[in-house]
Amino acid sequence: MRIVAGKYRGRHFDVPRSFKARPTTDFAKENLFNVLRAYIDFENEAPRALDLFAGTGSITLELLSRGCTHVTAVELDPQHISFIRRFLKMINAEADATVIRSDVLRFLNKAPGSYDFIFADPPYALPELEQLPELVFNQPILLKTDGLFVLEHGQAQDFSAHPSFIDHRSYGSVNFSIFQRS
């Protein structure tokens, strides 16, 4: 896994083979962030971000590298949390991120704070995957007005009928549905 762009660009992190998490591929990540530049000026707006199902922390690290002022990463697996914290320490970004051990579905019901950008990369087999947009949008202050929510998912899901849906991108077997709060 590597950081694709920004101030930590090119940094590599070896993900242990024992990890259950599937990091977003560098190709998909790079293309997604190229699309997101049309919606968010990461460098000048300094958004606050939320990374749900943080896994390896790949997106958390990418968001910090690209200019987010703060990223909250939510992950349940303690091994993954240790991995994320270790790499935040390696790049001296511990103060710029909060890593929370929690079930994401429970976290969303009591999430503190408000975010400009939310990214979710749940297991593709998660039974509640199709409910995630509603869980995010049902929390009135979780996603700020004009804020973006990106959901990574498999090919079987189609979120285009959701009222906040604005775009879909596919990179191989990786799909991203993009939503915006109006």
Side-chain angles (χ1 to χ4, degrees):
M1 164 181 103
R2 74 179 170 95
I3 299 176
V4 176
K7 64 183 174 182
Y8 306 122
R9 179 183 181 169
R11 298 288 299 263
H12 288 266
F13 304 96
D14 293 324
V15 178
R17 291 185 185 265
S18 63
F19 269 33
K20 299 171 204 149
R22 156 200 39 76
T24 302
T25 66
D26 291 345
F27 175 75
K29 194 168 38 171
E30 184 169 9
N31 283 289
L32 172 65
F33 276 93
N34 285 339
V35 170
L36 293 176
R37 285 195 321 212
Y39 300 101
I40 300 173
D41 182 353
F42 285 98
E43 293 174 11
N44 295 315
E45 292 178 12
R48 292 180 55 80
L50 176 62
D51 183 6
L52 301 171
F53 305 95
T56 63
S58 172
I59 297 296
T60 295
L61 296 170
E62 194 72 41
L63 288 165
L64 289 171
S65 183
R66 290 173 183 261
C68 283
T69 55
H70 193 272
V71 178
T72 300
V74 181
E75 173 57 48
L76 186 59
D77 189 299
Q79 183 184 14
H80 296 183
I81 289 170
S82 294
F83 183 81
I84 295 167
R85 286 184 175 144
R86 183 172 62 238
F87 284 102
L88 287 169
K89 186 174 185 172
M90 284 178 65
I91 62 172
N92 295 318
E94 299 148 298
D96 302 326
T98 302
V99 183
I100 298 173
R101 181 174 184 218
S102 178
D103 173 87
V104 167
L105 302 175
R106 286 190 184 138
F107 175 85
L108 286 173
N109 286 322
K110 60 180 169 84
S114 200
Y115 302 93
D116 303 290
F117 179 75
I118 300 173
F119 182 85
D121 181 8
Y124 289 179
L126 182 75
E128 298 87 357
L129 188 143
E130 295 194 13
Q131 298 167 8
L132 284 173
E134 282 311 307
L135 290 172
V136 168
F137 285 95
N138 283 343
Q139 301 300 323
I141 64 164
L142 184 64
L143 184 62
K144 293 179 181 176
T145 302
D146 295 328
L148 290 183
F149 169 54
V150 174
L151 176 59
E152 183 174 334
H153 57 86
Q155 297 172 354
Q157 288 82 25
D158 178 5
F159 295 96
S160 60
H162 190 280
S164 297
F165 175 86
I166 59 169
D167 201 354
H168 173 264
R169 298 299 169 117
S170 179
Y171 305 103
S173 63
V174 178
N175 288 263
F176 298 105
S177 288
I178 305 171
F179 307 83
Q180 188 168 33
R181 182 178 293 283
S182 53

